[in-house]
Amino acid sequence: MQVVTTIAELRAQLAPLRQSGRTIGFVPTMGYLHRGHEALVRAARQECDVVVVSIFVNPLQFGPTEDFESYPRDSEHDRAILSAARADFLFQPAVEEIYPRPLVTEVAVPELSHSLEGRTRPTHFKGVATVVLKLLHIVWPDRAYFGQKDGQQVAVVRRLLSDLDLPIELRVVPTVREDDGLALSSRNVYLSPDERQVAPLLHKVLVRGREAAQAGSDGPTVQAAMEALLRQEPLVRLDYAAVVDPDSMQPKHELTGRVMLAIAAYVGKTRLIDNLVLDL
Ligand code: PAF
């Protein structure tokens, strides 16, 4: 695996590969890689000739009181994982390489960015949309790989690609979970042993929500049931439980077709998110 830190070098390396007809798969990450990221890299490896992974903790998508500085980083561990998963290129730029001067251009998908995550993290998706568009322009892949775990991010990226006519296929890879259902996340490392015991509740509640939806309950009823279950656990502070259309992020009343059940909750001080997409 080749490690590249500048945009110019990555472009120079990828151009001849692209010209010779090789397909390029791209997995954008913020590092501190786990089995969820490995699943993205594996999917890219299966479908593409060349696999590029980026590790860039993007300051633009963190709010002023969020964990940008303390976001977990472990470059050596990440490189070992990526070599084992047979990534071809690791693009690991410094912040100054991606943002050499303050941006005056904004990339935003406001319709999809203000609900759910956007209520607590109002600038988050502008930061995500901006960096994702920049990274896609740098790598110019045939396919880009994102995890379903960040369901709203998937909706934002899908709409960005479609609205801006980017000829890049979006591949969405299912959430990878621990045996007890907890969705893998780099932030799980923040959980104390007691909190770790409680954290699978998010997934359990989503499963209960799915059962209610499959039994014919409507959106508000499923949402209220999920909220009530989460409020019973003293170590959990609910941010939201929602029943939405997975593309528009709008609340759904009649539960037919594709439906996303989504939860965000603090377990202790750690904010966790999870979701399930149903086809009803
Ligand atoms: O999902 C993430 O890790 C980040 O939001 C992404 C897509 C790498 C953009 O910084």
Side-chain angles (χ1 to χ4, degrees), residues 162-230:
S162 155
D163 281 359
L164 300 182
D165 301 308
L166 295 182
I168 295 170
E169 240 178 86
L170 173 64
R171 289 284 206 243
V172 182
V173 175
T175 304
V176 178
R177 300 181 181 281
E178 302 284 6
D179 289 346
D180 58 11
L182 176 65
L184 295 194
S185 160
S186 304
R187 290 189 170 101
N188 291 352
V189 70
Y190 298 147
L191 298 168
S192 71
D194 284 352
E195 292 162 357
R196 174 62 190 80
Q197 291 273 311
V198 164
L201 181 66
L202 271 72
H203 178 245
K204 283 192 194 110
V205 169
L206 287 169
V207 170
R208 296 281 289 275
R210 177 173 66 193
E211 285 162 5
Q214 286 168 339
S217 297
D218 64 17
T221 307
V222 172
Q223 178 179 329
M226 293 197 299
E227 287 171 354
L229 286 167
L230 285 160

Side-chain angles (χ1 to χ4, degrees), residues 28-30 37 56 58 61 124 128 131-132 135 146 150 153:
T29 82
M30 298 207 301
H37 299 108
F56 179 64
N58 173 34
Q61 69 190 73
H124 175 66
V128 170
V131 82
V132 166
L135 291 168
F146 287 81
D150 295 300
Q153 173 169 278

Side-chain angles (χ1 to χ4, degrees), residues 21 80 86 105 125 161 168 174 176 183 233:
R86 295 192 303 117
T105 304
F125 288 116
L161 295 179
I168 295 170
V176 178
E233 170 53 56

Side-chain angles (χ1 to χ4, degrees), residues 81-175:
I81 287 192
L82 292 177
S83 296
R86 295 192 303 117
D88 298 300
F89 292 95
L90 165 59
F91 179 49
Q92 194 166 20
V95 172
E96 301 73 42
E97 179 72 8
I98 299 295
Y99 302 121
R101 54 185 175 276
L103 288 185
V104 291
T105 304
E106 280 188 354
V107 184
V109 189
E111 287 257 327
L112 301 181
S113 301
H114 295 322
S115 61
L116 309 186
E117 287 302 285
R119 279 194 10 229
T120 308
R121 313 183 71 191
T123 57
H124 175 66
F125 288 116
K126 211 189 264 184
V128 170
T130 303
V131 82
V132 166
L133 189 59
K134 278 172 74 77
L135 291 168
L136 292 176
H137 277 296
I138 293 165
V139 177
W140 205 248
D142 296 277
R143 302 186 184 100
Y145 294 79
F146 287 81
Q148 178 55 44
K149 154 90 172 21
D150 295 300
Q152 192 170 5
Q153 173 169 278
V154 165
V156 166
V157 172
R158 179 175 284 125
R159 192 58 193 257
L160 182 78
L161 295 179
S162 155
D163 281 359
L164 300 182
D165 301 308
L166 295 182
I168 295 170
E169 240 178 86
L170 173 64
R171 289 284 206 243
V172 182
V173 175
T175 304

